[in-house]
Amino acid sequence: MSGPPLFLAVDGGNSKTDVVVGNATGEVLAFVRGPGSSPHVLGVSGAIGLLDALVLEARGSAGLAPGTEVAHASVFLAGADLPVEVERLYKEVAAIGWAERNIVDNDTFALLRAGTSMPDAVTVVCGAGINCVGRAADGRTARFPALGDISGDWGGGHHLAKLALWHAARGEDGRGPATALSAAVAAHFGRSTVEQVSGALHLGEVAADRVNELSSLLFAVAAAGDAVAAGVIREQADEVLAMARVAADRLGLREARHAVVLGGGVLRARHPMLHDAVLAGLRTQSPRAEVTVVDDPPAVGAALLALDAMGAPSTVEQPVRAALRQKPALAAYPVQVR
């Protein structure tokens, strides 16, 4: 193979998957996007099949001839939560032969690297769901199972949306305190009451996934002064702080200088009520932490981790960031992968 060594980077989320092909000088040769590739949704074989189609698309976009060797692949996936899941996915990636060397892990590690190059760091991701990982300079990591209710998770956009509907229903019928969420939720769905909204959801007249729209409504109602909505936002802040605290404690970082990276759509939005509470709490519990809200896509982190593993110099970081801030190409992925 002539020219600098090549890398492949994958950030596979629940809603989208980004694949990057680049080289050790930091040049990005291809950046393509396809649908979500979580093995929790597609199964392992379905996820690998979709990823293989996207990798093929990215190689073609990069102008790589068939058989061109790729030195390193960094593959970070939502759904790679338990060690047994990471191990199985690693074996599948190694067997398919995208690259000579591979790293496979949870996609939260890609977002962590997108937010910082500090060796001691913790990230809390609050998007559709919530997760947290940490790493120390000596190679130790801290992580959570992140399996939803069954592993004690609380929060994220989808959970907040459900809570908005829950409080709205109880506030309307008197089981809970009165809240402006009741009128706001009913109006959002064009109904007179929350009870009518609940019935429409039950009967399929309103698509169930539309409940997720209520996350942003919750923040708006809280910002307007509603005590019930504000209480939910405070709980979300407390959960973000709890995850960061536990991860830092496991790694012995609470009193040390370290990075705290905040990511995911809910935190990236910087809603003042949530953002200010999280920043204030972090200043109290980890006074030496350097807090960053990451706006770059996690694919940046996946690419940088590939380059780190290849021993690339730090000067490649900014060109990679700049290239991946551009809109990716939409890949001609299969509509359905079984």
Side-chain angles (χ1 to χ4, degrees):
M1 178 181 63
S2 61
L6 299 170
F7 73 82
L8 172 71
V10 176
D11 171 62
N14 289 304
S15 61
K16 61 178 174 58
T17 300
D18 288 340
V19 177
V20 179
V21 175
N23 64 38
T25 70
E27 182 183 8
V28 172
L29 304 174
F31 181 22
V32 300
R33 174 167 292 173
S37 54
S38 170
H40 287 178
V41 177
L42 299 177
V44 171
S45 61
I48 294 297
L50 174 56
L51 291 175
D52 194 39
L54 293 174
V55 168
L56 183 63
E57 182 85 12
R59 285 179 60 96
S61 180
L64 302 187
T68 301
E69 293 182 354
V70 173
H72 184 87
S74 288
V75 181
F76 295 91
L77 301 176
D81 296 309
L82 301 179
V84 65
E85 293 173 318
V86 174
E87 181 180 3
R88 182 178 177 191
L89 287 164
Y90 176 84
K91 289 178 178 177
E92 294 284 345
V93 168
I96 208 165
W98 293 326
E100 297 173 14
R101 298 181 303 278
N102 306 283
I103 295 174
V104 179
D105 215 324
N106 187 269
D107 61 335
T108 312
F109 284 100
L111 190 138
L112 176 60
R113 181 61 181 90
T116 185
S117 60
M118 288 179 64
D120 293 320
V122 170
T123 185
V124 181
V125 182
C126 189
I130 191 165
N131 199 357
C132 173
V133 298
R135 68 171 185 233
D138 60 10
R140 290 177 299 131
T141 62
R143 60 200 302 164
F144 296 84
L147 302 174
D149 293 345
I150 61 172
S151 60
D153 301 347
W154 194 99
H158 290 178
H159 187 197
L160 294 177
K162 291 177 181 178
L163 286 172
L165 179 58
W166 188 84
H167 282 292
R170 295 173 67 85
E172 180 178 270
D173 67 20
R175 287 176 293 169
T179 170
L181 285 168
S182 299
V185 167
H188 180 81
F189 290 108
R191 299 312 202 264
S192 299
T193 66
V194 183
E195 183 175 344
Q196 291 176 0
V197 173
S198 300
L201 286 164
H202 175 70
L203 295 173
E205 297 168 0
V206 173
D209 61 2
R210 289 200 60 202
V211 172
N212 295 330
E213 299 169 8
L214 298 180
S215 178
S216 58
L217 183 143
L218 173 73
F219 282 96
V221 172
D226 183 75
V228 172
V232 176
I233 304 305
R234 285 194 297 272
E235 286 188 74
Q236 182 65 91
D238 289 344
E239 184 68 11
V240 170
L241 292 168
M243 298 190 90
R245 171 179 52 78
V246 170
D249 279 344
R250 289 177 181 175
L251 298 172
L253 297 179
R254 277 278 293 284
E255 303 302 322
R257 177 176 175 266
H258 67 285
V260 176
V261 176
L262 305 176
V266 172
L267 291 174
R268 193 170 59 246
R270 295 173 175 84
H271 300 286
M273 187 175 293
L274 176 62
H275 185 67
D276 293 348
V278 169
L279 292 186
L282 288 171
R283 284 194 293 269
T284 298
Q285 72 184 30
S286 297
R288 298 186 64 193
E290 299 180 12
V291 183
T292 300
V293 181
V294 62
D295 291 312
D296 284 335
V300 167
L304 292 177
L305 285 166
L307 288 162
D308 291 344
M310 295 167 71
S314 59
T315 53
V316 305
E317 183 160 329
Q318 289 310 313
V320 168
R321 289 187 183 276
L324 297 183
R325 285 170 184 156
Q326 307 304 311
K327 186 176 181 180
L330 295 179
Y333 55 82
V335 176
Q336 291 185 332
V337 177
R338 298 293 183 184

